[in-house]
Amino acid sequence: MKIKKIWLVPFSPTGTSKKVIAAIASGMAGIPVEELDLTYTAAAGTVRFGPDEVVIIGVPVYAGRVAPLAVSRLSALQGDHTPAVIVATYGNRDFEDALVELRDIARQASFVPLAAGTFIGEHSFSGPETPIAPGRPDGPDLATAAEFGTRIGAKLASLAGPDPACCPALPGNVPYREGGTPLPFTPLLLEAACTQCGTCLTACPNGAIALQDKIEIDVERCMFCCACIKICPESALVIDAAPIRQIRQWLHEHCAARQEPELFV
Ligand SMILES: Cc1cc2nc3c(=O)[nH]c(=O)nc-3n(C[C@H](O)[C@H](O)[C@H](O)COP(=O)(O)O)c2cc1C
């Protein structure tokens, strides 16, 4: 089948899912690429895709499921038997039911998920003293992603149309595991270090951060994605809440063995 355009559709607070799907598209040479980034804003109304386009959706795994805000942002997409590549990026622990959940979200919106992959991204909770998959996706990951893109390109060229029978079997359970509950914490602001530059305000995917007399984070809106922590040029936002520090320590100790991408095409 002839493809006119590749759409990159990331929801990617710390940028790892976005890197992976861009690398996949780089392997599908010769097709124009456009991006609809759902990280910072919801699409205004329904966004429709045609049967001669390919949509590459990349989202992070939160608690073994698709990140809840990604689920909500993806609900604006509407395919028309549009081929889709679905990608779940996780922090070297496990992706559990996130890939099958993403497949079902795609199918419900009339996409045909012809290929799927899980990739590893540096864990959102990773830091210099407790690294968890630091630097991932790295060079080998991105090379794997580009080769995956080439295989997807070949699959698309070999198909007469987006046949749902060509969807690969995926690991994961339905019903899905229970998702995480909202965390009743926010990153801690180190006021002495903060210059009130406002970088964190624009990095927050959910508009949880405001600047009044100082930076304030709304616990109801904060999903602890850590985008603000990773982007702050002064390192003025840190993980302080004891339960998250414990999880971070556990991940650092128990999830050190390198996991590899898994591809389904
Ligand atoms: C609230 C939360 C829950 C997470 N849950 C998981 C998980 O269940 N398994 C895992 O391996 N990584 C988990 N992660 C790590 C992210 O999936 C990982 O860092 C991913 O690369 C982030 O993608 P992004 O850079 O596109 O935002 C979690 C991160 C956050 C913030």
Side-chain angles (χ1 to χ4, degrees):
M1 57 184 294
K2 181 101 183 96
I3 298 297
K4 282 200 187 135
K5 193 186 280 183
I6 298 171
W7 279 96
L8 297 179
V9 182
F11 173 86
S12 185
T14 60
T16 61
S17 310
K18 187 171 162 117
K19 268 190 207 160
V20 167
I21 63 172
I24 293 171
S26 76
M28 300 168 72
I31 309 172
V33 180
E34 205 163 322
E35 184 178 70
L36 173 68
D37 192 334
L38 297 178
T39 313
Y40 301 110
T41 41
T46 304
V47 187
R48 294 176 195 283
F49 300 92
D52 53 0
E53 299 177 303
V54 178
V55 174
I56 311 181
I57 302 172
V59 298
V61 175
Y62 284 4
R65 299 279 302 273
V66 177
L69 190 58
V71 176
S72 140
R73 299 262 164 97
L74 290 171
S75 68
L77 308 188
Q78 183 62 54
D80 174 12
H81 307 286
T82 308
V85 179
I86 53 169
V87 176
T89 310
Y90 69 103
N92 209 49
R93 186 188 67 78
D94 201 347
F95 58 90
E96 289 159 319
D97 303 332
L99 199 59
V100 287
E101 184 183 9
L102 188 56
R103 172 200 65 198
D104 296 344
I105 290 168
R107 281 187 175 155
Q108 270 164 25
S110 292
F111 292 95
V112 181
L114 292 176
T118 57
F119 283 81
I120 293 81
E122 175 160 343
H123 200 291
S124 321
F125 299 165
S126 172
E129 279 148 35
T130 46
I132 310 153
R136 307 281 304 272
D138 55 15
D141 291 322
L142 296 175
T144 300
E147 281 164 28
F148 181 43
T150 305
R151 284 173 62 195
I152 295 164
K155 180 172 183 175
L156 286 164
S158 74
L159 291 173
D163 180 357
C166 294
C167 295
L170 301 180
N173 300 302
V174 181
Y176 320 126
R177 60 160 284 172
E178 213 167 290
T181 45
L183 298 166
F185 317 105
T186 69
L188 175 75
L189 176 73
L190 304 176
E191 280 184 54
C194 177
T195 60
Q196 304 195 341
C197 68
T199 308
C200 56
L201 272 75
T202 45
C204 178
N206 206 23
I209 309 181
L211 176 57
Q212 305 288 345
D213 295 335
K214 61 173 184 136
I215 293 290
E216 306 270 6
I217 308 179
D218 178 349
V219 69
E220 300 291 326
R221 297 190 74 85
C222 175
M223 51 185 180
F224 227 105
C225 71
C226 301
C228 58
I229 295 178
K230 303 234 174 199
I231 208 162
C232 176
E234 310 298 335
S235 304
L237 288 156
V238 294
I239 294 180
D240 177 60
I244 301 200
R245 286 169 51 160
Q246 280 161 14
I247 294 170
R248 180 177 63 179
Q249 187 63 33
W250 186 91
L251 290 165
H252 171 64
E253 288 169 16
H254 294 88
C255 302
R258 183 183 176 94
Q259 307 252 38
E260 294 296 346
E262 289 181 53
L263 310 176
F264 309 89
V265 58

